Amino acid sequence: MRRPLWIPWRWWRRAVQLALLVAFLWLFRRTELSVDQLISGDGLLPGGENLFFRIDPLAGAAAMLGARQFIAAFWPATVVLGLTLVFGRFFCGWVCPLGALLDVFHRLLRPLARRTNKWIALLFSNSRGPTARGGSAKQLRYVLLLMVLVAALFSFPLVGFFDPFALLLRGLAFWFDPMLFKGAESAFSHFSEGWTPEVLQPFAEKHLLPFRAAVFQLAGFSAALLGVIFLLEFVARRFWCRFLCPAGAMFSLFARWSWVKRTPSGVCGSCGDCVSMCRMKALDAATGFSPADCTLCMDCVDGCPKRIAGFVFRRKKRLSKNKPSPPAPLPHAGEGSFAKKSNHAPRPVDLSRRSALLGIALGAAAPGVAAIVQKVHPRPLDPFLIRPPGAGDESTFLSLCIRCGECMKVCPSNVLQPAMLEAGVQGVFSPKLLPRHIFEQSNCEYSCTLCGQVCPTGAIPRLDEEAKHAQPVGKAYFDHARCLPWAENTSCVRCEEMCPIADKAIKLLPATTVRDKSGAEIEIQRPYVDRDRCVGCGICESNCPLPFPGDSAIRVRRVDAPDPGTETLLKAAHRQS
């Protein structure tokens, strides 16, 4: 591969990394519309917001295995895998935004990181076998890959805990964005005079900041998962990419057969600088070059003092049975002696049979243990576990959902929250409607269809407004023991006023003369739900005037949840009227 112009390869790589990182953050920021924008506009995003997930083969494979169907939206991921067969594991070194951030983080803390890397390397330097060189540790990424794919095959999704894009987006959306908003708000209030509120604040609010202060469950857990990945840089450079990332393991499998080969394929006997500078440790004096580990960072090419290192296109030729094998090529002049001659055959995968069986066993054990626990201690589905519009069957939804967080990021009212253990371990980070998480405006906006627009797998289908209303997410039920007009003879019709449906899903019974707490006679109207009209948006629940965080007097339950039997006074009221 010839270098374009005179610019070093590493500068080309950094420019591409920076451009794609900016593209990721730009798509991240524009994946939102405020409630005012929904009301004034057509409610459609420009498109392409979930592009990085659709080029993610790990997410696509897990979703397809779980749903047992081909998802056409992941066709860009097949293109990426095809390019991996040509160029090798270029995605991790040139495209992945998490890899770019890890490089920036390591460079910012390079003096400290280099010291900790050396200390930990010395700690394991006396270990025997491939452990000291990381050979055994590299098997872990393949174990995790097998575990994720096998668990998905059994409809037990674990991809959300290991997919790099999901980890990055959730960490940014659930924790970094709210902290950024609060920090900017404090700064703008402090600098309330001068050019800051006139110039900087409008620009920041339009292009850099989220439009509202969101609050998410599991925000600390999401930040901790992402933080651990960055802290592992103090153990070894690109530790996540080298030893843990299952997406990187998938690219490694395809990269073994790539057409782009390093030359020389071993380590020359002159200096060995390429071994020390390789961030992925793809070069080893004893075992040679590993295409499964190389991310084409090109540091060895730019840093070679004799300018003999490079990458070339070379396909492996199939030899006829009757033709003798050609003699091994002689080394170039100036290459020196090689530790090991190469025939350009890929090195074996860093995965033993025992580790492969371990990954398969772990992937099969997770759903097996969950099934046994459910059998021994049966737990019915939480009636308040309400899924986004159009989600449909619970098992199919969980199999398709990759826990990317896009739907929760784009939700304008912050009603979509990550589930905890309401649906078991397999449901953690899946989206649910939580109308009373924030007291005001935490409801499913009546005209909003954004979550279906950004879902990369179709777990939340893309619906228009009419189709959304035809598939209610839940039904509302009153608790007469808590409702003010029913329990205390206190006039309150806030839920009826807030109902967004034109013909109102919350009706009022004719005025009835009752006595209030003071004993005076008053006329009062009592609300009830017309469940044939209710779509389960939750605006009534979030605006119920009962003190937060107590349960609302009206709550939305799943469509398939049984009648809770709380409206015991309604039949008597109908008989009286």
Side-chain angles (χ1 to χ4, degrees):
M1 296 173 61
R2 298 185 61 182
R3 182 175 61 191
L5 303 178
W6 54 270
I7 303 175
W9 273 112
R10 63 178 178 272
W11 290 108
W12 286 106
R13 174 181 51 80
R14 290 172 183 173
V16 173
Q17 280 185 299
L18 178 60
L20 291 175
L21 177 60
V22 170
F24 177 84
L25 296 176
W26 176 66
L27 292 174
F28 173 83
R29 178 54 62 227
R30 78 169 190 168
T31 308
E32 61 182 22
L33 286 178
S34 66
V35 177
D36 295 337
Q37 289 173 317
L38 283 173
I39 296 174
S40 60
D42 57 5
L44 295 177
L45 292 169
E49 289 76 15
N50 54 19
L51 175 62
F52 277 86
F53 284 100
R54 290 192 285 116
I55 63 174
D56 182 359
L58 176 66
M64 293 184 208
L65 288 173
R68 293 172 176 80
Q69 66 184 45
F70 177 75
I71 303 175
F74 282 101
W75 69 264
T78 62
V79 175
V80 171
L81 289 180
L83 292 174
T84 303
L85 286 173
V86 177
F87 295 100
R89 195 178 164 183
F90 76 98
F91 189 93
C92 302
W94 292 66
V95 180
C96 181
L98 181 56
L101 290 174
L102 288 175
D103 286 341
V104 172
F105 180 79
H106 192 95
R107 190 172 184 84
L108 291 175
L109 302 177
R110 184 159 49 184
L112 178 60
R114 280 181 172 177
R115 291 192 184 96
T116 57
N117 293 169
K118 289 180 180 179
W119 295 338
I120 294 173
L122 288 173
L123 183 64
F124 292 99
S125 60
N126 295 325
S127 61
R128 296 180 179 179
T131 306
R133 298 191 302 271
S136 295
K138 289 178 182 178
Q139 298 187 40
L140 185 55
R141 62 186 179 188
Y142 296 109
V143 172
L144 294 177
L145 174 63
L146 288 172
M147 182 183 71
V148 168
L149 296 182
V150 172
L153 188 61
F154 285 96
S155 299
F156 195 91
L158 296 175
V159 65
F161 291 99
F162 300 102
D163 184 76
F165 290 151
L167 290 168
L168 179 58
L169 189 137
R170 288 200 311 263
L172 292 177
F174 294 177
W175 184 81
F176 180 78
D177 244 10
M179 297 298 293
L180 177 65
F181 186 92
K182 292 179 181 178
E185 191 176 42
S186 300
F188 291 144
S189 62
H190 180 73
F191 298 101
S192 57
E193 297 181 358
W195 62 273
T196 302
E198 297 178 1
V199 179
L200 184 59
Q201 185 171 355
F203 176 83
E205 291 177 348
K206 184 177 181 180
H207 299 287
L208 303 179
L209 300 176
F211 71 88
R212 49 100 171 99
V215 179
F216 290 98
Q217 294 183 150
L218 299 179
F221 184 43
S222 301
L225 289 176
L226 187 60
V228 167
I229 294 175
F230 283 90
L231 290 177
L232 287 174
E233 286 294 295
F234 293 108
V235 178
R237 188 169 189 185
R238 285 278 193 134
F239 187 96
W240 163 259
C241 309
R242 290 168 57 193
F243 302 117
L244 297 177
C245 181
M250 183 176 288
F251 288 124
S252 295
L253 292 175
F254 282 79
R256 292 178 64 248
W257 306 100
S258 63
W259 295 0
V260 172
K261 310 291 185 180
R262 186 182 185 274
T263 178
S265 55
V267 180
C268 68
S270 57
C271 64
D273 288 351
C274 53
V275 176
S276 61
M277 71 177 62
C278 182
R279 67 190 65 196
M280 296 293 293
K281 301 304 176 186
L283 277 167
D284 187 87
T287 57
F289 172 66
S290 173
D293 295 314
C294 178
T295 59
L296 273 77
C297 68
M298 298 296 183
D299 285 345
C300 62
V301 177
D302 291 336
C304 181
K306 294 189 176 182
R307 297 291 185 265
I308 61 174
F311 287 84
V312 296
F313 284 97
R314 183 182 297 138
R315 295 186 63 182
K316 184 181 179 182
K317 297 181 180 180
R318 294 186 177 181
L319 300 177
S320 174
K321 294 182 179 179
N322 300 325
K323 292 183 179 180
S325 300
L330 296 175
H332 297 226
E335 285 190 2
S337 60
F338 293 92
K340 188 174 182 180
K341 292 183 180 180
S342 172
N343 59 356
H344 303 292
R347 277 176 17 190
V349 178
D350 294 317
L351 180 65
S352 65
R353 184 179 302 175
R354 183 179 300 176
S355 297
L357 292 175
L358 175 62
I360 296 173
L362 289 174
V369 171
I372 293 173
V373 171
Q374 178 65 17
K375 190 73 174 178
V376 175
H377 298 286
R379 185 179 64 175
L381 191 62
D382 187 350
F384 300 109
L385 182 60
I386 303 169
R387 297 302 187 181
D393 177 69
E394 178 73 8
S395 60
T396 303
F397 171 74
L398 288 179
S399 299
L400 278 171
C401 178
I402 58 173
R403 285 59 166 168
C404 63
E406 287 275 18
C407 56
M408 293 171 270
K409 164 71 174 66
V410 79
C411 183
S413 60
N414 202 199
V415 71
L416 279 181
Q417 293 290 322
M420 292 190 279
L421 294 173
E422 298 90 339
V425 177
Q426 65 270 34
V428 175
F429 285 124
S430 61
K432 67 173 183 178
L433 268 73
L434 194 59
R436 215 162 166 79
H437 181 57
I438 301 175
F439 184 70
E440 292 290 344
Q441 295 184 348
S442 56
N443 59 279
C444 184
E445 286 295 325
Y446 191 67
S447 60
C448 177
T449 60
L450 295 178
C451 54
Q453 295 179 42
V454 299
C455 181
T457 66
I460 307 173
R462 191 182 181 98
L463 305 173
D464 57 24
E465 187 176 342
E466 183 178 355
K468 173 190 173 181
H469 299 158
Q471 303 180 45
V473 297
K475 298 293 182 181
Y477 291 85
F478 275 102
D479 183 353
H480 290 159
R482 296 181 62 81
C483 181
L484 297 178
W486 290 96
E488 301 182 10
N489 292 332
T490 301
S491 180
C492 178
V493 291
R494 183 171 177 81
C495 54
E496 189 270 343
E497 294 174 346
M498 297 301 298
C499 182
I501 300 175
D503 296 331
K504 299 292 184 182
I506 297 179
K507 309 288 187 181
L508 298 174
L509 292 174
T512 303
T513 302
V514 296
R515 293 184 181 274
D516 62 9
K517 293 181 179 180
S518 64
E521 290 189 349
I522 60 171
E523 287 191 348
I524 191 172
Q525 290 178 306
R526 293 186 171 115
Y528 69 96
V529 180
D530 182 354
R531 273 182 279 278
D532 291 334
R533 297 182 180 276
C534 181
V535 297
C537 67
I539 192 170
C540 53
E541 180 177 343
S542 65
N543 286 277
C544 180
L546 287 185
F548 183 83
D551 288 341
S552 172
I554 180 171
R555 297 197 68 184
V556 178
R557 300 167 70 94
R558 293 175 59 92
V559 175
D560 55 1
D563 190 325
T566 55
E567 299 182 340
T568 55
L569 302 178
L570 187 58
K571 293 182 180 179
H574 275 298
R575 285 196 298 268
Q576 293 177 3
S577 61

